[in-house]
Amino acid sequence: GTAGAQGWTAFSPEGGRCKVDMPGTPTVETVPLNSPGQSLTMTEAKVQAGGAAIFMSWVDYPDRIALSASSDTMLDKVRDGMAAGNTLRSEKRLTLGRAQGREFTLAQANGTTTAVRLYWARNRLYQLGVTGRAGVENQPETRHFFESFALVRS
């Protein structure tokens, strides 16, 4: 599309310690995660725009989990969980300040593609994603969304 970054607004979720540009006002919900032996919740903000679903979420992990594994291990586990049943493509390592990150693309069997960025920062996992048609990972809107993400001090 030619919309570019028109109509995008900076979104700073309460308690999120981050900000990101989103194309419209996201719906925000907190959902419990199915995680053996602990209660984790994920806060997720979602927007539908131009045939794509754009989402940002975070999960806080308890110290006993966060301190028992390196950033790389945590990111690998999350990536592997997301990739299960999908085709993982074009992974690269990222950093954002001191936070370690990953970017990769998942091709689903139904033909949709999800571009994903993960960051691990101080016991918190951030996920950014855009789901749409094949090639969504290269769309200007996807790149703008990913590049606009920033960690902020609370």
Side-chain angles (χ1 to χ4, degrees):
T2 56
Q6 285 180 324
W8 288 64
T9 51
F11 173 66
S12 295
E14 189 175 337
R17 302 197 309 254
C18 66
K19 66 179 199 269
V20 67
D21 288 354
M22 296 190 95
T25 305
T27 49
V28 180
E29 60 181 358
T30 302
V31 293
L33 293 181
N34 189 355
S35 194
Q38 69 224 356
S39 61
L40 296 175
T41 57
M42 176 177 74
T43 303
E44 183 174 55
K46 289 188 280 206
V47 173
Q48 287 286 138
I54 297 173
F55 67 90
M56 183 274 266
S57 67
W58 72 86
V59 178
D60 288 318
Y61 286 84
D63 283 348
R64 65 185 171 76
I65 294 173
L67 301 176
S68 68
S70 69
S71 299
D72 278 340
T73 301
M74 292 299 292
L75 291 165
D76 288 347
K77 284 182 175 176
V78 174
R79 177 209 55 218
D80 293 347
M82 292 179 81
N86 298 307
T87 305
L88 176 67
R89 296 200 308 248
S90 65
E91 181 181 14
K92 63 183 181 192
R93 290 170 183 261
L94 306 167
T95 54
L96 185 65
R98 282 192 238 134
Q100 296 295 310
R102 295 273 196 288
E103 182 176 322
F104 53 88
T105 303
L106 298 172
Q108 284 98 343
N110 66 5
T112 60
T113 298
T114 302
V116 178
R117 265 197 188 182
L118 305 174
Y119 290 105
W120 178 254
R122 292 190 318 196
N123 294 29
R124 178 172 282 186
L125 175 78
Y126 292 96
Q127 295 181 58
L128 303 168
V130 180
T131 300
R133 293 184 303 281
V136 71
E137 68 276 14
N138 300 315
Q139 292 300 314
E141 294 82 2
T142 301
R143 304 321 309 165
H144 177 85
F145 174 61
F146 283 172
E147 298 301 330
S148 73
F149 181 78
L151 298 171
V152 294
R153 296 199 192 287
S154 48

